[in-house]
């Protein structure tokens, strides 16, 4: 193991990798580093399981990124989607194959953490990180990062992965820059069996009244997860949209068991993904799909990459090698998730201008529904779709031109370390 013979390790234990945050990104990072045989510490400020504002949709890319043997705790399997445009023009499309599954985040997250622990990671809960330091009196040498906990305790590591959510302290250390901030509001509404039966296997997606907004109903047995999302700054209007949405669905008479809100944040194109021996992933890095604001698959995929590259950074003996590995991590993120985000930003801009067109195309144009199915099932991605379908390329380019922007000539143009 790296660092076993150093004098710093004699004084205080030095972990190979410390991961901050035990959500899907952090648990995936801890699992990836632990599977590689490294000494991994996973820190989480809450006690597990804990609630997170999240629709809980598990699409194909999320399923493909889970540890071997992971059994998804599905509350429902979705075979139908009802689309509406601000409550009107509702149309339901169906699929023989499952489109995606629905989970409750407390169960899902706890199960991911268990897999990381089985792989050898050590978990500490109820621990808040105050800051990380890569220089100064708390750092014994240039190969070590000090993770300072609230209360003053210091944990030492060869590499740190920040997966501490969208208000990340580690993200602040790295200098993450955000391009888009949205407000999601959600209610968990217990319903009688007769109502639950109406929603079984079917979700609703409603294109909302605010630019770029939409609402959803996700059934999970005897509870419906009902939420809306819109650009931050429209808090009162977003709250009104959720209230109107719930009333329109005939659910206003049922008392929510949980009502919550959450800010989602998308990274700017030039936002850093590392600083020294510290990497960020998931929400802490601002990695999510800008149009749908889907974050679980981005968290799982970026977390796994962060864990793999944290192992290489832990083994790096100097600043040059550390920098090389950090750049390789950034390139891996941008070549995959970055391309998807670039297309997602263009889709959001088009959707903000013409939600009615999106609704008409998705509900009335068979290839568009086929593309939706393939994306949710994981057989393609937004980036691959635009690359491989000339019609999708032309449509997006036309939208780009209509708003006076130049689209990237090719996906590769967006990939720079």
């Amino acid at each position: 193991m790296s660092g076993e013979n150093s004098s710093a390790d004699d004084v205080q234990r030095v972990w190979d990798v410390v991961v901050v945050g035990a959500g899907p990104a952090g648990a995936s990072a801890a699992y990836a580093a632990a599977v590689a045989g490294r000494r991994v510490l996973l820190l989480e400020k809450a006690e597990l399981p804990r609630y997170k504002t999240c629709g809980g949709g598990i699409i194909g890319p999320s399923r493909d990124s889970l540890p071997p043997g992971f059994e998804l705790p599905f509350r429902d399997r979705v075979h139908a989607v009802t689309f509406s445009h601000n409550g009107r023009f509702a149309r339901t499309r169906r699929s023989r194959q499952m489109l995606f599954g629905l989970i409750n985040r407390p169960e899902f997250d706890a199960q991911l953490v268990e897999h990381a622990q089985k792989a050898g990671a050590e978990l500490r809960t109820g621990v808040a990180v105050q800051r990380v330091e890569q220089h100064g009196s708390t750092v014994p040498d240039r190969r070590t990062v000090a993770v300072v906990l609230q209360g003053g305790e210091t944990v030492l590591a060869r590499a740190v992965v920040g997966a501490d959510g969208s208000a990340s302290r580690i993200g602040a250390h790295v200098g993450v820059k955000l391009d888009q901030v949205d407000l999601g509001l959600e209610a968990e509404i217990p319903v009688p069996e007769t109502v639950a039966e109406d929603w079984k296997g079917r979700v609703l997606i409603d294109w909302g009244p605010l630019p770029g907004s939409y609402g959803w109903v996700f059934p999970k047995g005897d509870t419906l997860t009902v939420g809306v999302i819109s650009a931050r700054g429209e808090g009162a209007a977003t709250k009104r949209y959720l209230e109107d949405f719930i009333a329109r669905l005939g659910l206003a008479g049922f008392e929510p068991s949980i009502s919550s809100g959450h800010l989602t944040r998308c990274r700017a194109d030039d936002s850093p993904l590392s600083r020294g021996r510290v990497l960020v992933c998931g929400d802490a890095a601002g990695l999510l799909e800008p149009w749908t604001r889907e974050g679980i698959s981005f968290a799982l995929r970026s977390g796994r990459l962060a864990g793999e590259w944290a192992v290489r950074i832990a083994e790096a003996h100097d600043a040059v090698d550390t920098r090389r590995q950090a750049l390789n991590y950034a390139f891996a993120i941008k070549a995959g998730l970055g391309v998807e985000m670039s297309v997602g930003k263009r889709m959001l801009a088009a959707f903000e201008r013409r939600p009615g067109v999106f609704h008409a195309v998705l509900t009335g144009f068979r290839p568009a529904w086929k593309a939706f199915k393939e994306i949710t099932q994981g057989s393609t991605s937004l980036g691959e779709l635009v690359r491989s379908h000339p019609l999708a390329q032309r449509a997006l380019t036309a939208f780009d031109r209509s708003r006076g922007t130049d689209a990237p000539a090719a996906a590769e143009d967006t990939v720079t370390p």
Side-chain angles (χ1 to χ4, degrees):
M1 302 285 178
S2 63
E4 279 183 349
N5 300 319
S6 74
S7 59
D9 289 27
D10 295 336
V11 177
Q12 181 179 351
R13 184 177 193 184
V14 180
W15 297 88
D16 292 318
V17 178
V18 169
V19 180
V20 183
S28 295
Y31 175 85
V35 157
R38 299 307 183 269
R39 294 174 301 180
V40 180
L41 178 63
L42 178 58
L43 302 174
E44 167 59 45
K45 67 179 177 184
E47 297 296 340
L48 297 175
R50 45 90 179 100
Y51 180 79
K52 283 284 182 184
T53 306
C54 176
I58 300 295
I59 59 175
S62 297
R63 291 198 302 272
D64 295 342
S65 303
L66 293 167
F70 191 98
E71 288 187 23
L72 278 157
F74 283 146
R75 290 307 179 103
D76 204 345
R77 290 168 167 81
V78 177
H79 286 81
V81 182
T82 299
F83 295 99
S84 62
H85 185 200
N86 201 16
R88 298 176 299 158
F89 315 116
R91 184 166 182 190
T92 301
R93 306 300 305 251
R94 299 182 187 279
S95 169
R96 283 193 189 90
Q97 291 85 33
M98 183 179 84
L99 295 166
F100 55 96
L102 299 172
I103 52 92
N104 282 332
R105 279 289 301 277
E107 294 170 353
F108 178 69
D109 290 12
Q111 208 168 302
L112 279 171
V113 169
E114 280 173 29
H115 274 259
Q117 288 176 286
K118 283 176 190 167
E122 190 171 310
L123 172 69
R124 283 183 64 184
T125 58
V127 179
V129 171
Q130 199 170 58
R131 64 186 183 278
V132 291
E133 295 179 358
Q134 300 194 64
H135 308 282
S137 58
T138 56
V139 183
D141 59 59
R142 290 183 179 181
R143 290 188 59 219
T144 308
V145 182
V147 180
V148 183
L149 310 181
Q150 259 167 8
E153 184 189 345
T154 298
V155 176
L156 300 179
R158 295 283 177 231
V160 171
V161 176
D164 48 335
S166 61
S168 168
R169 285 180 183 265
I170 313 299
H173 172 80
V174 166
V176 171
K177 292 188 281 186
L178 304 164
D179 199 32
Q180 172 190 329
V181 184
D182 296 291
L183 171 65
L185 299 176
E186 199 165 68
E188 302 286 350
I189 305 178
V191 292
E193 195 176 331
T194 49
V195 176
E197 197 58 37
D198 285 345
W199 287 97
K200 191 172 170 56
R202 176 176 67 95
V203 301
L204 169 65
I205 296 175
D206 178 71
W207 313 117
L210 302 161
S213 68
Y214 75 96
W216 60 88
V217 179
F218 284 179
K220 297 171 186 173
D222 58 1
T223 300
L224 299 178
T225 298
V226 183
V228 301
I229 195 160
S230 181
R232 184 177 67 169
E234 297 282 354
T238 305
K239 188 166 183 283
R240 193 158 55 246
Y241 174 31
L242 178 61
E243 289 166 355
D244 292 347
F245 186 44
I246 288 171
R248 218 164 44 216
L249 293 164
L251 300 173
F254 304 114
E255 187 67 30
S257 58
I258 300 173
S259 295
S260 62
H262 179 66
L263 290 177
T264 66
R265 297 170 167 94
C266 277
R267 68 187 294 274
D269 287 339
D270 61 344
S271 179
L273 289 158
S274 67
R275 179 178 170 188
R277 291 176 172 266
V278 179
L279 305 177
V280 284
C281 60
D283 284 345
L287 291 166
L288 73 159
E289 201 284 295
W291 177 31
T292 61
R293 290 80 155 189
E294 190 278 320
I296 294 177
S297 78
F298 278 66
L300 292 169
R301 289 182 282 174
S302 65
R304 189 185 70 234
L305 289 170
E308 290 169 356
W309 257 276
V311 167
R312 293 168 185 151
I313 285 172
E315 292 167 349
H317 285 280
D318 56 37
V320 173
D321 194 20
T322 300
R323 177 73 179 145
R324 185 186 303 119
Q325 301 303 341
L327 282 173
N328 286 340
Y329 168 66
F331 186 83
I333 291 288
K334 291 178 183 182
L337 300 179
V339 171
E340 288 180 39
M341 288 185 73
S342 175
V343 174
K345 283 180 184 177
R346 294 167 68 194
M347 293 286 282
L348 176 64
F351 171 66
E352 283 174 341
R353 295 192 67 199
R354 301 279 180 86
V357 171
F358 270 74
H359 179 68
V361 168
L362 258 177
T363 55
F365 186 50
R366 193 175 293 275
W369 168 244
K370 184 170 179 281
F372 179 91
K373 284 200 299 182
E374 289 175 351
I375 288 169
T376 57
Q377 290 167 340
S379 58
T380 190
S381 68
L382 264 179
E384 286 167 10
L385 188 75
V386 171
R387 255 200 312 270
S388 56
H389 288 64
L391 190 61
Q393 255 179 21
R394 284 201 297 273
L396 257 189
T397 302
F399 269 115
D400 288 331
R401 284 183 183 144
S402 72
R403 65 187 245 269
T405 63
D406 292 319
E412 286 76 14
D413 292 347
T414 66
V415 183
T416 50

